[in-house]
């Protein structure tokens, strides 16, 4: 089903209130089914999550900055290994128009906060308790890192972590900051 036919179905449903709920539900499911998977050059899916400090942070409000979104969990050894390197990159480039968002996928916010504190993390940590954002970004490995350019487009995807990846991240961050 194309997006155009879905939109027509939604418009037709408006004239039949008794079927509106069913048609809208099917249309929403169909839109999800035809959505393209996350890939370089695609627009990064927007999201809003609450930081550990309790304020809302929206990805869309970061337009104009280079953004690295890192999905991590406290139970993930490579995630914990990577975090200090990410923090160094954040501290080094944040004054140059760079933002790093650590999306935590644990069910226990206090545990995530404790690990982030122990590792000296200074960038925003955003608990994704309902895993909605994780599904939007189609996680297939932990950690997963997405680099987004100033226009909100995905430029680089990294699945997993091995020692030395931080050098690749830094090269890509510098490249995007120069654009």
């Amino acid at each position: 089903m194309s997006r155009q036919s879905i939109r027509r179905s939604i418009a037709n449903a408006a004239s039949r209130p008794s079927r509106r709920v069913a048609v809208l539900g099917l249309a929403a499911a169909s839109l999800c089914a035809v959505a393209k998977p996350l890939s370089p050059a695609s627009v990064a899916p927007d999201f809003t999550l609450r930081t550990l400090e309790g304020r809302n942070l929206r990805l869309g409000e970061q337009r104009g900055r280079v953004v690295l979104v890192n999905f991590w969990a406290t139970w993930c050894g490579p995630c914990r290994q990577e975090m200090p390197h990410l923090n160094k990159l954040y501290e080094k480039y944040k004054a140059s128009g760079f933002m790093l968002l650590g999306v935590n996928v644990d069910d226990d916010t206090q545990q995530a906060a404790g690990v982030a504190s122990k590792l000296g993390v200074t960038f925003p940590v955003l608990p994704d308790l309902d895993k909605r954002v994780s599904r939007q970004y189609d996680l297939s490995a932990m950690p997963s890192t997405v680099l987004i350019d100033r226009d909100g487009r995905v430029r680089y995807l990294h699945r997993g972590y091995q020692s030395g990846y931080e050098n690749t991240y830094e090269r890509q961050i510098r490249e995007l900051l120069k654009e």
Side-chain angles (χ1 to χ4, degrees):
M1 182 178 258
S2 71
R3 288 184 186 273
Q4 189 173 19
S5 62
I6 293 168
R7 288 187 182 104
R8 276 196 301 269
S9 296
I10 292 169
N12 289 338
S15 64
R16 295 183 305 240
S18 63
R19 294 187 184 182
R20 184 177 300 152
V21 173
V23 171
L24 290 175
L26 286 172
S30 296
L31 279 172
C32 292
V34 297
K36 294 180 181 177
L38 190 67
S39 64
S42 64
V43 174
D46 195 16
F47 62 84
T48 301
L49 289 172
R50 192 173 301 278
T51 67
L52 291 174
E53 292 77 30
R55 63 183 165 78
N56 284 338
L57 197 149
R58 181 174 173 229
L59 177 63
E61 292 172 351
Q62 305 306 313
R63 285 279 168 97
R65 295 182 183 186
V66 172
V67 180
L68 185 150
V69 180
N70 178 260
F71 292 88
W72 68 284
T74 59
W75 48 261
C76 167
C79 298
R80 293 167 79 125
Q81 180 184 359
E82 179 181 51
M83 295 298 267
H85 299 295
L86 293 175
N87 202 65
K88 286 179 188 173
L89 291 172
Y90 175 66
E91 291 298 327
K92 184 174 182 177
Y93 293 104
K94 69 181 179 181
S96 301
F98 173 68
M99 173 57 87
L100 197 154
L101 305 174
V103 178
N104 179 267
V105 300
D106 288 299
D107 294 326
D108 185 345
T109 302
Q110 289 183 343
Q111 185 174 1
V115 169
S117 176
K118 181 179 176 183
L119 295 173
V121 169
T122 58
F123 55 82
V125 173
L126 310 164
D128 184 19
L129 296 173
D130 64 4
K131 314 301 184 264
R132 181 182 49 80
V133 176
S134 301
R135 283 191 301 275
Q136 278 182 293
Y137 280 79
D138 191 29
L139 294 187
S140 61
M142 276 301 200
S144 287
T145 302
V146 181
L147 262 163
I148 302 166
D149 68 18
R150 295 177 190 273
D151 295 324
R153 296 207 166 272
V154 173
R155 294 292 290 277
Y156 298 102
L157 296 168
H158 300 278
R159 307 289 189 195
Y161 173 77
Q162 291 182 1
S163 182
Y165 278 16
E166 62 276 2
N167 299 326
T168 302
Y169 299 159
E170 184 168 18
R171 181 178 41 79
Q172 293 169 344
I173 292 165
R174 283 196 319 255
E175 172 193 320
L176 295 175
L177 286 171
K178 288 179 185 177
E179 291 181 354

